[in-house]
Amino acid sequence: MVPAVASAQSTATDLGLIVIGSASGVATTLQDAPAAVTVIDSETIAAEGARDLNDILRTIPGLNLTQGNSGIGEISMRGLPANRTLTLVNGRRVSTGGTVVRDYLGDLTRIPLDAIDRIEVVRGPMSTLYGSDAMGGVVNIILKEPTDVWSGSVTAEYSSGPADTTADNAQISAYFSGRLTQHLTAAFWGKVYEREATEDYSYTTDAGAAATVTSGEGSRTKELGANLIWSPNDTIEWGIELTASDERYLSYQAHDTRRLQTYDLTLTNEWQLGAGQLSSYLSYQNSQNAPWDTTNTTWKDATEYNTINFETRYSNATQIAGRYLEYTLGLNLSHDELSDTNTNSSGALIEGEMSTAALYAEARYDMTDSLRLTYGLRADSSEEYGTHVTPRVYANYDFGNGLVLKAGFAQAFNAPDLRSLNPNYLLTSRGNGCKPYPGPCYITGNPDLVPETSDSYEIGLNYQGSDVSWELTAFYNELTNMFGAAKTGETSSNGYAIFERTNIDEGTTAGLEGGLSWNISPDLTWTNSFTYLAKSEFYYEFLDTPFPMATTPELNITTALNWQANDALTLGASVTYVGKQVGYITEEELSSEEARAVPAGQNSDPYMLVDLSLAYDLSDNARINFGIDNVFDAQPDDTVSYRETGRLFRIGITTSF
């Protein structure tokens, strides 16, 4: 499929897309945003004919779709592990993942593509605005707002792929909105989706032993959502948003493995105060994860995670010394609660709660007609990990004629979760969590954990022209106090070594990312994106050898052509080069103790993914999409413990009104 980043870059100039709240506390143009940003609009999403957001995001510069032993694709930014990327919906956190310890299918598969207005992807740390977890960057999914005139769309899609890498899937999604009364508008959306579980496949370990894993669990998902907006006058707006989802994780030739249910209620307020804008929301999220008990053939008691979040943000502009100053002041209060009986090996209840308060401020000041500086500062305070301050400074220099220089420094942090802070937490690991020592082992929580921190630097050029647009950014990240596990010297009654969560590791990532879009003619567009990781490594305590931080290629390149053959027919083709694992290491290079820490999933041989797509407008209100992903069924080498999506045939139709 044609990479989404290409369309985003090419339309940014034509349509004047804006970034709202993701890269800055105020609305700004894509080029002026104080960060490396990509915006994907709803037209691009519709043209992709993708199954979910993972398929759309993987070709953005700086991003990689990392694969684990479970076969689950996760978004990794700039060589950092996937859990250092923060996913937001309408600028709000999604807490469903707090109920799942392993093999979470993620937040990107449940949202109906028909309901999405745009996706704002910010590469680089954003803790100043969003607090914990935004160390690598932010993926902010903006849903469509209700319209004045009743309109909407319905999409039906079916895909078929190899049983051992992809399996079949089908979905129907819908979105419609309109005005109910003079002051009240409404939007409704829904999705029914099923992706079959894949069969097991075999691979060969570095040691030459045969091993068998699954490419991934399937999923059966139902989601409903509604949004009501009441605007009594031109200065104030109230909203209420409700979503509910039920997701079953499917196992190949077995009962569903878990039932994941989520409920979300959010109240919003937009208030125009003179020249300023006050934006606030209060949200409540409840997520429940009930695993299937194969022994007693019933559902176990559900792990439950509740989050209450309140945020208010005031933005305005003024002049200082004759120069323009935009500023944002914000307050965030959150409370999380966990009740878990499923991740403690002894079956004991794990309970915990965490309250966090944060104040933040950001200011953008025009130092000269060409130079704009952005300053940000945030303070997060919690009884569990103390007070944490994260600063940010960013500069945009406009050379004119569409060329802008961007450079910045930011700190970020990743707070420990409620399980890792609980001394009663007792996770069983077959080996990966026990490294660099042999498994299996038990891992306990530690109430003395402190947040991971990072210092990040970037510099780049961004050019937006009428026919050609490009960007090039260099980045460097230093991480300290990374979460790990250390031996306590104790042994359980069944002989397992006992480890404790601790801050032991440090790491570094560095590289280049870029993109190019060229409108060769009014009907033909050539797009490109790449990510080069010069370094992505961290150290285990007491070992001298650096190890890869994530399952990420050293070089990832996508090039694509999109041809508007006539008024109704659009053809697309793309080629993605997936390079060798960054920091690739083998057991032969290491000592016997270090060899135990070699990560699974390293790819040593590059491969190519070729995608083809076709979109045909049957009428003004109906479009049919065809596609073949991974035409030649390319896969990593036989020693790699994950598989790419196999040759996948897609067909879908969208009707609108």
Side-chain angles (χ1 to χ4, degrees), residues 372-622:
R372 171 174 286 184
L373 296 182
T374 300
Y375 304 92
L377 187 67
R378 180 185 180 107
D380 289 79
S381 182
S382 171
E383 290 185 1
E384 281 68 28
Y385 59 81
T387 299
H388 206 82
V389 178
T390 48
R392 176 186 184 221
V393 60
Y394 209 92
N396 290 46
Y397 188 86
D398 190 347
F399 291 102
N401 299 317
L403 183 62
V404 174
L405 173 69
K406 298 185 176 187
F409 164 78
Q411 291 184 340
F413 76 103
N414 188 28
D417 60 51
L418 287 171
R419 289 186 183 86
S420 297
L421 288 168
N422 194 316
N424 296 320
Y425 175 53
L426 189 66
L427 178 68
T428 302
S429 175
R430 293 185 296 270
N432 284 338
C434 314
K435 292 178 178 181
Y437 304 97
C441 67
Y442 287 136
I443 303 173
T444 67
N446 178 3
D448 296 324
L449 281 178
V450 298
E452 298 176 319
T453 58
S454 69
D455 291 334
S456 301
Y457 307 83
E458 68 176 60
I459 184 170
L461 288 170
N462 184 294
Y463 174 77
Q464 299 289 330
S466 58
D467 293 321
V468 176
S469 299
W470 56 265
E471 61 173 311
L472 181 65
T473 303
F475 58 87
Y476 178 81
N477 303 307
E478 283 188 348
L479 281 70
T480 56
N481 289 324
M482 291 179 63
F483 300 141
K487 254 187 173 182
T488 63
E490 300 177 1
T491 304
S492 67
S493 57
N494 58 359
Y496 287 9
I498 297 178
F499 287 62
E500 183 182 54
R501 291 289 185 208
T502 188
N503 301 99
I504 60 172
D505 301 320
E506 59 183 23
T508 304
T509 73
L512 291 171
E513 61 191 30
L516 167 69
S517 177
W518 179 19
N519 296 324
I520 299 173
S521 72
D523 302 322
L524 184 64
T525 302
W526 180 39
T527 58
N528 305 269
S529 65
F530 83 93
T531 304
Y532 167 67
L533 288 172
K535 182 182 292 187
S536 177
E537 62 187 28
F538 76 102
Y539 290 85
Y540 282 105
E541 191 178 30
F542 309 126
L543 298 185
D544 297 326
T545 304
F547 294 88
M549 192 174 293
T551 307
T552 306
E554 181 178 59
L555 182 61
N556 194 89
I557 305 173
T558 296
T559 185
L561 285 171
N562 185 282
W563 179 38
Q564 185 74 46
N566 55 46
D567 291 341
L569 178 64
T570 303
L571 301 175
S574 69
V575 178
T576 298
Y577 171 90
V578 182
K580 176 182 177 180
Q581 165 75 42
V582 61
Y584 183 84
I585 53 176
T586 64
E587 295 184 3
E588 289 76 13
E589 303 174 71
L590 308 171
S591 67
S592 58
E593 186 173 69
E594 289 176 325
R596 299 191 186 106
V598 173
Q602 294 187 104
N603 178 53
S604 61
D605 294 324
Y607 54 92
M608 299 274 197
L609 303 173
V610 178
D611 300 334
L612 301 175
S613 64
L614 179 154
Y616 186 78
D617 293 332
L618 301 172
S619 68
D620 291 340
N621 303 108

Side-chain angles (χ1 to χ4, degrees), residues 187-397:
F188 306 92
W189 60 90
K191 178 178 180 178
V192 178
Y193 170 71
E194 181 168 338
R195 179 184 296 189
E196 295 182 2
T198 56
E199 300 176 2
D200 292 345
Y201 69 89
S202 298
Y203 73 101
T204 304
T205 67
D206 289 336
T212 302
V213 296
T214 180
S215 293
E217 292 181 294
S219 173
R220 184 187 301 114
T221 302
K222 300 175 183 177
E223 171 150 331
L224 293 173
N227 186 17
L228 298 176
I229 301 293
W230 180 51
S231 305
N233 53 55
D234 293 336
T235 62
I236 194 167
E237 176 183 284
W238 294 91
I240 180 170
E241 183 180 309
L242 303 95
T243 60
S245 68
D246 183 286
E247 185 173 15
R248 308 294 177 98
Y249 284 24
L250 310 179
S251 177
Y252 179 68
Q253 292 184 339
H255 193 278
D256 303 353
T257 60
R258 69 183 69 163
R259 179 181 62 197
L260 192 60
Q261 297 175 309
T262 303
Y263 307 93
D264 191 333
L265 171 63
T266 302
L267 304 176
T268 63
N269 175 254
E270 297 289 336
W271 193 359
Q272 189 76 33
L273 297 174
Q277 182 77 20
L278 182 67
S279 301
S280 307
Y281 74 84
L282 174 65
S283 69
Y284 170 74
Q285 297 179 47
N286 171 269
S287 301
Q288 301 175 35
N289 170 23
W292 178 253
D293 188 335
T294 56
T295 302
N296 298 311
T297 62
T298 186
W299 293 108
K300 295 182 180 179
D301 292 337
T303 293
E304 190 167 355
Y305 201 98
N306 295 306
T307 299
I308 299 175
N309 200 11
F310 170 75
E311 182 166 3
T312 185
R313 176 187 295 185
Y314 177 74
S315 300
N316 205 340
T318 186
Q319 284 194 343
I320 296 180
R323 291 290 178 180
Y324 193 62
L325 172 72
E326 297 173 301
Y327 63 91
T328 297
L329 304 173
L331 166 69
N332 180 260
L333 304 173
S334 64
H335 182 76
D336 294 64
E337 293 182 351
L338 170 70
S339 177
D340 184 356
T341 60
N342 298 306
T343 56
N344 188 307
S345 301
S346 64
L349 174 67
I350 297 175
E351 292 183 299
E353 57 183 288
M354 179 187 298
S355 295
T356 305
L359 290 171
Y360 60 91
E362 183 179 90
R364 302 184 66 196
Y365 184 61
D366 293 338
M367 298 291 293
T368 68
D369 292 341
S370 300
L371 178 63
R372 171 174 286 184
L373 296 182
T374 300
Y375 304 92
L377 187 67
R378 180 185 180 107
D380 289 79
S381 182
S382 171
E383 290 185 1
E384 281 68 28
Y385 59 81
T387 299
H388 206 82
V389 178
T390 48
R392 176 186 184 221
V393 60
Y394 209 92
N396 290 46
Y397 188 86

